[in-house]
Amino acid sequence: MENVYDIKEKNKLNYILPVRHEIGNIRRGLKTVVIVHLYYTDTVSKYLEYIKLIPNDMDIIITISNRELKDILYKAEVCKTKKCTIIEKKNRGRDISALVVACRERIKNYDYICFIHDKKEKSSELKEDIAEWTRCLWENVIGSSEYINNILTTFYNNKSLGLLVPPIPMSKKFSFYISTWSNNFQKTKELAERMNLVSNLDIHKPPITLGTVFWAKTLALKKLFDIKWKYEDFDEEPLKDNGTLSHAIERILAYVAQDAGYETGWVMTDKYAGERIEYMQRLLQKSFKQLNTVLDVYSEAELDNADKLTEFVDNHDKCYIFGAGICGIKCFQFLKSLKIYPAGFLVSHIENDPEDIEGVPVYSLEQVQLDKNIGLIVGVGKRSQDEVLRVIEKMYPGYEEIYLYI
């Protein structure tokens, strides 16, 4: 079974939808609800402005675990003019328990659900990034009334599509572009096993869902809502930054949808997509400038080489670099940057070669015994590769555990 991230990438499940005009309107007759969890009183006015954009005939459920919000919401004009229901919940499990405990039974009455919640920085240095993340979440699920209709039309026109989530946010301080598993893979895997999900979790493939904000066909997440969750299932406050049930549920949504036979995609407004293109272009230019300076990497092909080389090393008990010249040392420096350390350098015959390079021993080819558990990374120039391969074939007939670095 393919991993959900690979499916998204292969099928190009990225939806950029307009906010100022509709691509279709099939909402009539569809039972749809927007569930909003709010906690912070000092930012509630910002979120009420988004709630104003929700179509007037669409059901809205607002969950709260902060009683100060109750009076604010009942007095808010938007809650009087919209079809709002306010539900108080226990202050445990935060937004996740709002979804799977407080609203679990109500969700079953709807064909489509949207879920969204407020966020707040834990320190002043993260204020800018959290504000940008919040904008990413809210703008890309509630961009306008027309945009909401466009999301539902997209679901209707794509029968295999079950879940739409905002992309990972544009960020200066969070490491979203390295890994979004953090320390949550094992917990997510355990939850998948508990739910008997037919899916392919892979720690090397990032989860698609981050932030627990989404639009979904209710059937796509049925297995999540079938569990009779309790508030006591969730960690008490203060909630840890990673490794809790809440963090696992946040990341498991696309796998739940896959188990139900649905695909997951990213969705964003046309305005946000334009900003994101500019941001990613700047980020790529900065990143490759640094990669070129530190690793002499300047292209996507060389980045792919890093992935393939890492996989090659992972598939062997140990690896050697063949070649102790300029190319071999460049290969060694590249491996070090990937936190990969070879067992040694190999050369055809030790004559004027050093005993070691940066503490890594240099051996002649006769001093080692190559087998299928040992990988050989050939770090010589292209002109010398054929000769090296002939030498290896002569000494170790049939040996194929070879990776050409250049």
Side-chain angles (χ1 to χ4, degrees), residues 8 28 210 271 306 316 345:
K8 175 190 169 298
R28 189 165 299 172
L210 192 69
K271 177 177 178 294
H316 295 89
F345 290 86

Side-chain angles (χ1 to χ4, degrees), residues 370-381:
L370 299 180
D371 58 42
K372 65 179 181 179
N373 297 315
I374 296 176
L376 190 60
I377 303 166
V378 176
V380 299

Side-chain angles (χ1 to χ4, degrees), residues 287-299 301-303 305 326 330-331 333-334 337 405-406:
S287 299
F288 272 102
K289 185 177 180 180
Q290 187 71 11
L291 284 167
N292 184 242
T293 300
V294 177
L295 301 177
D296 199 25
V297 168
Y298 58 90
S299 69
E302 290 186 310
L303 286 177
N305 188 30
I326 294 173
K330 181 181 177 181
C331 175
Q333 298 299 336
F334 188 64
S337 73
Y405 173 66
I406 295 177

